[in-house]
Each structure stands twice: as C-alpha cells, then as structure tokens.
Amino acid sequence: MFETSVAVAGTVLTEPRDREVGGNRVISFVVASNSRRYDRSGEQWVDGDRLVATIYCRRRVADGVSGAIGKM
C-alpha cells in the first residue's frame, strides 16, 4: 500500500474526538491553515486561500497526538 505524508501547520478548530474503530484507537480533529504572501507593490501581507481539513490519526500516532493536540 502506498502512503503519502503531508505536513499542515495551522490552528486546531475542534476538540479532538477519541474513539475506537475495529479495535484500534482513532482520534479526529479539524485543522485550518491560511497561506500568506508579501505583496511588494502594496508593501503589506496578503491572505491567500484557506485550507480546512479533517485529520484522522490511528494506532500509535493517535496515542502520541492525544496529549499534544487541543483547541485554543
């Protein structure tokens, strides 16, 4: 099976939801991230597109994420 890793830096929007699926621990939460760029002509920062994603962590990753992620 092929796996793709993606890193998203952003803000957690929901409290992590902890549950068990098929005997495995699963934690899910929603994260949002905005791209920003500096507009030299206007000499200011400009917001770009917004990404909102639901993240699912399973097994050992869920164990690590459970104590590290929380809504601000």
Side-chain angles (χ1 to χ4, degrees):
M1 183 166 126
F2 298 103
E3 294 184 19
T4 302
S5 296
V6 177
V8 177
T11 303
V12 176
L13 298 179
T14 62
E15 286 295 331
R17 181 176 169 216
D18 195 347
R19 63 186 191 274
E20 193 167 313
V21 176
N24 294 312
R25 185 177 189 186
V26 176
I27 292 182
S28 61
F29 56 94
V30 177
V31 66
S33 179
N34 283 28
S35 63
R36 290 180 56 94
R37 65 176 179 81
Y38 188 74
D39 180 14
R40 290 184 184 176
S41 63
E43 297 183 356
Q44 63 184 355
W45 285 95
V46 178
D47 287 335
D49 294 334
R50 183 176 188 193
L51 168 72
V52 178
T54 302
I55 309 299
Y56 295 95
C57 302
R58 291 169 173 54
R59 300 182 184 109
R60 287 187 359 202
V61 175
D63 293 339
V65 166
S66 66
I69 298 291
K71 183 179 172 187
M72 293 180 83

